[in-house]
Amino acid sequence: MTLPTFARALRDQLRMHATSPMAIFSTLAMPCVFAFIVNRNATGSEHVAGMNSGLAVGTAGVGMLDSIIVLVVVSMMGEKKWKTLYAALGSPGSLVPVVLGRLAGTALQSLTALPGTLVILAVMWGIGEAFDWVRWIVGGVLLAASTASLVGLLGFAVLRYPYSAGMTNGLTGLVMALSALIVPQSALPGPVAKLAMLLPQSHAMAWVRGGNSIQVLWAVLLTALYSGLVVLSIKRLEKTARDQALPLEM
């Protein structure tokens, strides 16, 4: 029952939100504005040489982050409103495949930022001769997966605690800075650079910007770690809901 429940949750996520005009707009608009500001303030001939793969993936990563945070909140709130959580809690697979399916759906949906922002940036500046297409596609996919695994902890918070309008205030900017999406990790202040090492996105971006395969390994391992934390958190939520009659639905 676990795999079909996961697949259904993933399909529902894409069916309900993948074609939303506002979701698509937010995935493309904000990151391209950031890229424009960074490019216009670049020194030397960086902005003349054309777009590189680091700028392309980092720009898409901003859209992925913004999209996934919004979609995770909307998805989890939807599950609470539709009265599906207690039914899932009583099923063999319980809540875990529902949450993981939703997260997988948001990761897939956020991938629209990868080609979408590339087209816009290419129109503005062109594609540089040194553009690495392999690092662009692999780094973009890895960035979407790692972002979904990290933001999955927000999904647990939305399910566990009463949602308030300010729950996500500042979260996008904080994770964006620690993920080294706009500037390399080496350009971050010392303490911030050390904190960035804890996020898989910063390792994915380091590889896209010319790092070695060790960065990919760290990104994969940290993504798996955060995914495991999401599963453990949901399992803990299930136990609390059963032992303390915790209200999960609205």
Side-chain angles (χ1 to χ4, degrees):
M1 292 295 294
T2 299
L3 186 58
T5 303
F6 171 87
R8 182 181 295 275
L10 190 156
R11 186 174 67 250
D12 286 345
Q13 178 65 35
L14 296 177
R15 176 178 58 83
M16 297 173 62
H17 299 291
T19 58
S20 169
M22 287 306 299
I24 296 173
F25 178 77
S26 66
T27 302
L28 302 179
M30 187 178 79
C32 290
V33 170
F34 270 98
F36 179 79
I37 294 172
V38 171
N39 183 272
R40 296 303 296 177
N41 287 278
T43 58
S45 59
E46 180 181 346
H47 67 286
V48 179
M51 173 184 51
N52 56 46
S53 51
L55 176 62
V57 176
T59 301
V62 175
M64 291 174 183
L65 176 61
D66 185 48
S67 173
I68 291 174
I69 287 178
V70 172
L71 290 173
V72 163
V73 172
V74 172
S75 299
M76 296 301 106
M77 291 295 291
E79 295 288 350
K80 296 177 81 168
K81 290 180 179 178
W82 300 324
K83 313 294 185 184
T84 58
L85 295 176
Y86 288 132
L89 195 61
S91 68
S94 201
L95 294 177
V96 172
V98 174
V99 174
L100 293 185
R102 287 288 192 171
L103 289 178
T106 60
L108 286 176
Q109 182 177 347
S110 73
L111 282 174
T112 57
L114 199 58
T117 55
L118 179 71
V119 170
I120 297 174
L121 298 183
V123 169
M124 288 194 288
W125 303 307
I127 298 177
E129 296 180 358
F131 193 94
D132 192 325
W133 289 98
V134 173
R135 291 183 187 255
W136 172 73
I137 184 65
V138 175
V141 171
L142 186 56
L143 200 60
S146 59
T147 301
S149 70
L150 179 65
V151 178
L153 296 174
L154 172 63
F156 158 74
V158 173
L159 289 177
R160 173 64 177 83
Y161 303 102
Y163 177 75
S164 64
M167 184 177 285
T168 61
N169 284 355
L171 187 60
T172 300
L174 175 63
V175 177
M176 184 171 65
L178 294 177
S179 300
L181 297 176
I182 300 299
V183 297
Q185 187 178 343
S186 59
L188 298 174
V192 179
K194 289 182 173 60
L195 286 174
M197 297 290 290
L198 300 176
L199 270 63
Q201 296 97 313
S202 65
H203 295 279
M205 288 304 305
W207 178 74
V208 171
R209 293 187 173 109
N212 55 40
S213 57
I214 298 298
Q215 299 290 349
V216 176
L217 179 60
W218 272 112
V220 171
L221 288 176
L222 287 172
T223 298
L225 174 63
Y226 281 108
S227 298
L229 289 176
V230 172
V231 172
L232 290 176
S233 299
I234 298 303
K235 287 290 187 182
R236 178 64 181 174
L237 175 62
E238 293 172 353
K239 186 177 186 305
T240 303
R242 293 188 177 102
D243 294 348
Q244 302 178 16
L246 180 71
L248 297 179
E249 299 176 345
M250 302 173 63

